[in-house]
Amino acid sequence: MGTLKLRRRRTALAAGLATLAMAAGVAVVPAQAVDRTRYVALGDSYAAGLGAGPYLDGCYRSENSYSELATHTKTIKLVANAACSGKTTQDVVDTQLKRLNRATGLVTITAGGNNLRFAEILASCGAAIVNPAADPLCEAASAYAEDQISSHKLAGDVTAMIQRVKAAAPNANVVVTGYPYLYDPVAPGQTDSMSRFIYKATHLADGLNGSIAAAARATGAEYVDVRAAFAGHGVNSAAPWINLHRWAPASPENFHPNAKGYEAYFASLSEAKAYAAP
């Protein structure tokens, strides 16, 4: 009788241990989500997703931004897309870093274009194409941007931003992206007003990207160049990935990527292994 009771106790104990083992096995499944890299996206309209819609708020954060596309991977947990349209590098520091902490594993940043007042350049120089009276405004806006680049002020501003990001997220991989050419570059030597405008836009984009790349090198961040990914898809191409709504010249979507463009951003970041498992 005593032997039978002992066997029953052992059987019950084994059954209890089996139940615990099964429960532990079930618990492993949601625990895998903890291993995903906690990701925060920072920056301006190009990080927010302006141009691709639909929009989630007044910052023009889009469901088609490159950070939202990363949520479909098995390695990333998007904590927040904190980017907001119109922001400069200092705005990023002042308003977006609160989403960062020691648990943050990845930070991407697209910022610097607004430091050059790029929207003002596009508006004034675009107007100058059809109205020579706008030339002085175009030249003044371009000269401001040139000075920000040549004086290394822009590179310094981006460097300071990255340093603050690294301090707020000391364990994160910090990746900064560049900007695409808005227009596919045209052959040199053209003298028409449209070609001169494209030369100017291309030159300033090179200076902008060069400044961001220099800041990344100075801080140990990773720089991802997207110009090659957009090649053949500028505003002046047959299949543009940059918006220009000619029927709505004041649209905020103008000169921002469309959904295909943000897919190109995502592809560039993926190719650089920004979204790879740690």
Side-chain angles (χ1 to χ4, degrees):
M1 189 70 175
T3 302
L4 181 59
K5 286 183 178 179
L6 181 59
R7 285 176 179 169
R8 285 175 178 169
R9 285 175 185 157
R10 286 176 175 170
T11 301
L13 177 60
L17 290 173
T19 301
L20 287 172
M22 289 175 64
V26 171
V28 169
V29 175
Q32 290 175 349
V34 177
D35 294 331
R36 292 187 176 187
T37 301
R38 293 175 63 83
Y39 170 34
V40 177
L42 309 175
D44 58 22
S45 53
Y46 273 66
L50 177 57
Y55 301 112
L56 306 174
D57 52 35
C59 282
Y60 291 104
R61 296 185 183 102
S62 168
E63 296 174 358
N64 292 306
S65 66
Y66 62 74
S67 58
E68 290 288 345
L69 294 177
T71 63
H72 300 299
T73 70
K74 295 180 179 180
T75 57
I76 293 295
K77 175 181 175 56
L78 180 62
V79 175
N81 179 3
C84 192
S85 297
K87 301 306 181 184
T88 65
T89 55
Q90 187 60 51
D91 292 327
V92 170
V93 171
D94 291 342
T95 64
Q96 298 178 18
L97 303 194
K98 60 186 177 182
R99 306 307 299 265
L100 305 179
N101 54 48
R102 297 185 66 85
T104 307
L106 171 65
V107 180
T108 59
I109 316 169
T110 305
N114 289 315
N115 291 51
L116 300 185
R117 303 174 185 171
F118 225 98
E120 184 178 329
I121 295 170
L122 293 170
S124 59
C125 295
I129 293 174
V130 295
N131 179 14
D135 275 338
L137 292 176
C138 171
E139 292 305 317
S142 300
Y144 176 85
E146 288 277 12
D147 180 67
Q148 293 291 299
I149 294 167
S150 63
S151 68
H152 306 295
K153 176 69 165 57
L154 175 61
D157 288 344
V158 178
T159 296
M161 174 188 65
I162 297 172
Q163 289 171 335
R164 291 290 297 273
V165 168
K166 282 178 166 281
N171 299 314
N173 179 32
V174 179
V175 181
V176 293
T177 78
Y179 294 81
Y181 291 133
L182 300 178
Y183 291 82
D184 288 339
V186 297
Q190 307 299 311
T191 58
D192 62 283
S193 58
M194 189 69 229
S195 293
R196 293 199 307 272
F197 173 66
I198 294 173
Y199 293 150
K200 187 183 299 289
T202 301
H203 173 69
L204 290 175
D206 285 337
L208 170 59
N209 286 311
S211 297
I212 295 170
R217 288 193 299 270
T219 56
E222 183 175 0
Y223 170 70
V224 174
D225 193 334
V226 299
R227 284 171 290 187
F230 278 78
H233 297 286
V235 168
N236 54 335
S237 70
W241 292 352
I242 302 289
N243 291 307
L244 181 57
H245 304 316
R246 290 176 174 83
W247 64 90
S251 171
E253 292 190 336
N254 287 338
F255 298 111
H256 288 83
N258 56 25
K260 286 286 189 182
Y262 286 110
E263 289 174 11
Y265 259 98
F266 173 71
S268 297
L269 285 159
S270 297
E271 186 177 342
K273 302 191 183 309
Y275 298 130

